[in-house]
Amino acid sequence: MVQSNFDQGNPNETTLEHLDPAPGQTAGGFKETVDNIAKVGGEMTDYIVTHWNTWQNGVPPLK
């Protein structure tokens, strides 16, 4: 079974090597994670701002 843990680097690499790999290499899903944060976080932020009257006191209850 293959396991992955995107918040942990390879024990044989430094944190800098994990987050800033050589050209052509990936950073263990870090780029994908940041891309997804921007996509989903941006959409969610826009939604909350647009519907501020519902969100101003915190997360609204489920209907």
Side-chain angles (χ1 to χ4, degrees), residues 2-57:
V2 175
Q3 295 182 348
S4 59
N5 190 347
F6 294 123
D7 69 342
Q8 300 293 315
N10 179 322
N12 298 320
E13 66 184 354
T14 67
T15 301
L16 180 59
E17 289 169 333
H18 176 66
L19 297 177
D20 189 21
Q25 295 182 354
T26 61
F30 185 73
K31 179 189 178 310
E32 293 82 359
T33 300
V34 172
D35 289 345
N36 286 334
I37 289 169
K39 289 176 187 175
V40 175
E43 292 286 329
M44 189 66 198
T45 301
D46 290 345
Y47 184 85
I48 291 171
V49 169
T50 301
H51 300 90
W52 183 242
N53 60 326
T54 302
W55 289 82
Q56 63 187 344
N57 294 318

